[in-house]
Amino acid sequence: MELDVHDRITADPTPEDIVRAIDQRGDDPDWFINLSDDDGYVEAELERAGRFRLAYHSGKARFDAAETVDAAALKTIFLAYLNGNDGWRANRNWLRKASPAKAAEAAGEPPVWAIAAVVASLALIFVIAEVLPESWLEQLPFAGTTFGGILLIGLPMVVMVGAMIINAVLKVRRAKGWVQVQGRITLSKMAARRPPAGNEIGTLVNVPDVAYSFKVGGQDYRGTRVSLGDISGKYAEEAVARYPVGKMVTVFYDPADPETCVLEREAPKGAVKGCGLLLVVLALLAGGFYWAVTQGAEGLKASMPDADVPVMLFAALFGLAALLFVVAHRRYLARANAWPVTQGEIVSSVVEQRRSTENGRTRTTYLPVVEFAYTVAGNRLHSRQVKLGLEVSGSESFAQKIVDRYQAGTKVDVHYDPQDPSNAALENPTETKWILLGVALACFAIALYASRIFR
């Protein structure tokens, strides 16, 4: 046996060594403890004060505990492992560690081919704009026209939406050939998916933490995927309610690899609705721009021969979009100010740095990363929105003041959307984004200038 405590190794450890290491762990977030032998290991990492993430390796695969443990339970498990007793494994839900590719798919990350397609579309813009000879460009449809430029700029967005749809269709078609078997829900609760370690600045997403067990060929398997797509927010809460602990369920699994399994083979309704809405918006924008630069432009040119029609149309449409956004935002704020309030607690509160480079100069801003937890309808949810819809950043002293105001352990009032409780904030802003109103007015002024009606 070998005991590794935060890179301090002890050969042939005693029970006293294990107890002392756990009792004297301190508050270092990188602290870990590992007890290994020739057949595998058991290890734990400090998650927060008094709680630990637990895992073990059987010699063939790694398994992570579905829930954290406290110091007392951690001592019991490590002492049992030291004595060769593996009974502690049966008392907890264990999730077999997936391969990086499977883990990325389960988390809703796009496949490599989809990312490559979007990158290729961006490269195509550069090739058309900078590399292709003029004689070749003249052969392309809409070459040299305003509509052609708009199509080229919108190409990556179209490719991205198309890749999302194709990926969802491929998943559904592949899963149609899977085998089904009866299983049982062993874990069902909400969980928070945080940004990767070392990149705490990012979106925190509430997801369903659902686990189920089933047998194939007399062998036990465990799964954690509910749907073929990513489920978050209100759809996650619906999934937790749909699959309570102990419920018998139908599990669909790949006969070539039973660890690839899911409870729902159809595409998640949230993804279908989102893709459909995005397609409608893109189609309306494309149709509107096409009409504007063809029939609309010709009509305006006939009635306003001195006007710079492409500039006038683009500025007017952009200004209209900004104005509509301002109106929609004001309506959203009006509804948000009537949201219900529940009590929550600050889980963590730190200042993070963000560096950006502009014109060869590095600029550093500081963001207060304040995470809080709250409970709605029996679900424990997490969020990092200090001000609703706004990213709070500035100088280090500014960020530190917010962190000091929301220290870990502080009880706070949480405003949440009753239609989607995962959308919550500590403060509801009441001010309108007047800068967008200024952008809209500036665009209308440019459109008016390009019309030349006052010349």
Side-chain angles (χ1 to χ4, degrees), residues 16-17 28 74 79 119 134 143 225 244 284 321 330 412:
E16 290 75 18
D17 292 329
D28 188 341
L74 186 63
L79 292 175
V119 172
E134 290 290 336
R225 291 185 66 185
L284 290 175
R330 283 186 60 84
V412 290

Side-chain angles (χ1 to χ4, degrees), residues 159-378:
V159 171
M160 182 176 67
V161 175
M164 290 169 57
I165 295 173
I166 292 172
N167 185 43
V169 171
L170 290 176
K171 285 182 179 180
V172 173
R173 290 190 61 183
R174 188 165 57 244
K176 282 185 177 180
W178 288 2
V179 181
Q180 66 183 55
V181 67
Q182 284 295 106
R184 186 176 66 87
I185 301 296
T186 58
L187 176 69
S188 182
K189 62 183 180 65
M190 293 295 297
R193 186 170 67 209
R194 298 173 175 83
N199 181 29
E200 289 301 312
I201 300 172
T203 303
L204 181 149
V205 182
N206 290 299
V207 295
D209 186 5
V210 174
Y212 45 92
S213 62
F214 60 99
K215 285 182 178 290
V216 176
Q219 184 174 348
D220 291 325
Y221 289 91
R222 293 183 183 275
T224 57
R225 291 185 66 185
V226 173
S227 172
L228 291 173
D230 187 30
I231 298 180
S232 60
K234 64 179 180 180
Y235 300 110
E237 296 164 44
E238 292 174 0
V240 169
R242 204 159 53 241
Y243 299 110
V245 172
K247 181 180 180 179
M248 300 303 295
V249 292
T250 299
V251 180
F252 301 92
Y253 68 91
D254 185 349
D257 180 15
E259 291 181 358
T260 302
C261 53
V262 73
L263 295 178
E264 300 171 1
R265 288 189 296 182
E266 66 275 8
K269 59 183 179 181
V272 173
K273 185 184 294 184
C275 287
L277 181 61
L278 191 54
L279 282 176
V280 170
V281 171
L282 288 177
L284 290 175
L285 287 175
F289 273 119
Y290 180 77
W291 176 86
V293 301
T294 54
Q295 300 179 29
E298 292 175 359
L300 286 173
K301 193 67 177 175
S303 59
M304 305 171 69
D306 295 330
D308 189 342
V309 173
V311 173
M312 183 178 68
L313 278 175
F314 185 81
L317 290 173
F318 195 89
L320 180 61
L323 184 60
L324 289 175
F325 188 89
V326 171
V327 173
H329 183 66
R330 283 186 60 84
R331 294 184 62 186
Y332 176 70
L333 290 181
R335 291 194 302 269
N337 285 324
W339 283 358
V341 177
T342 187
Q343 189 175 72
E345 181 181 2
I346 303 298
V347 175
S348 63
S349 183
V350 296
V351 175
E352 293 283 345
Q353 292 185 7
R354 174 179 290 172
R355 289 186 175 88
S356 59
T357 302
E358 297 179 3
N359 300 323
R361 299 182 62 181
T362 301
R363 180 171 175 264
T364 302
T365 55
Y366 297 86
L367 293 88
V369 181
V370 179
E371 181 176 331
F372 54 94
Y374 56 103
T375 300
V376 177

Side-chain angles (χ1 to χ4, degrees), residues 74-208:
L74 186 63
K75 293 176 186 177
T76 300
I77 291 170
F78 269 71
L79 292 175
Y81 191 89
L82 181 67
N83 295 325
N85 179 5
D86 61 359
W88 49 272
R89 296 183 186 179
N91 299 326
R92 301 186 179 279
N93 289 318
W94 298 95
L95 309 176
R96 183 164 181 160
K97 187 174 179 62
S99 66
K102 288 184 180 179
E105 183 180 0
E109 297 180 14
V112 174
W113 64 263
I115 298 175
V118 175
V119 172
S121 67
L122 293 171
L124 181 62
I125 295 176
F126 174 79
V127 169
I128 293 177
E130 302 293 339
V131 178
L132 290 183
E134 290 290 336
S135 58
W136 289 19
L137 292 177
E138 292 174 356
Q139 307 302 317
L140 297 175
F142 304 109
T145 66
T146 304
F147 185 67
I150 294 171
L151 284 180
L152 200 60
I153 294 173
L155 180 62
M157 178 64 71
V158 174
V159 171
M160 182 176 67
V161 175
M164 290 169 57
I165 295 173
I166 292 172
N167 185 43
V169 171
L170 290 176
K171 285 182 179 180
V172 173
R173 290 190 61 183
R174 188 165 57 244
K176 282 185 177 180
W178 288 2
V179 181
Q180 66 183 55
V181 67
Q182 284 295 106
R184 186 176 66 87
I185 301 296
T186 58
L187 176 69
S188 182
K189 62 183 180 65
M190 293 295 297
R193 186 170 67 209
R194 298 173 175 83
N199 181 29
E200 289 301 312
I201 300 172
T203 303
L204 181 149
V205 182
N206 290 299
V207 295

Side-chain angles (χ1 to χ4, degrees), residues 304 307 312 448-455:
M304 305 171 69
M312 183 178 68
L448 188 63
Y449 178 80
S451 70
R452 295 187 171 92
I453 60 176
F454 295 118
R455 293 188 181 182

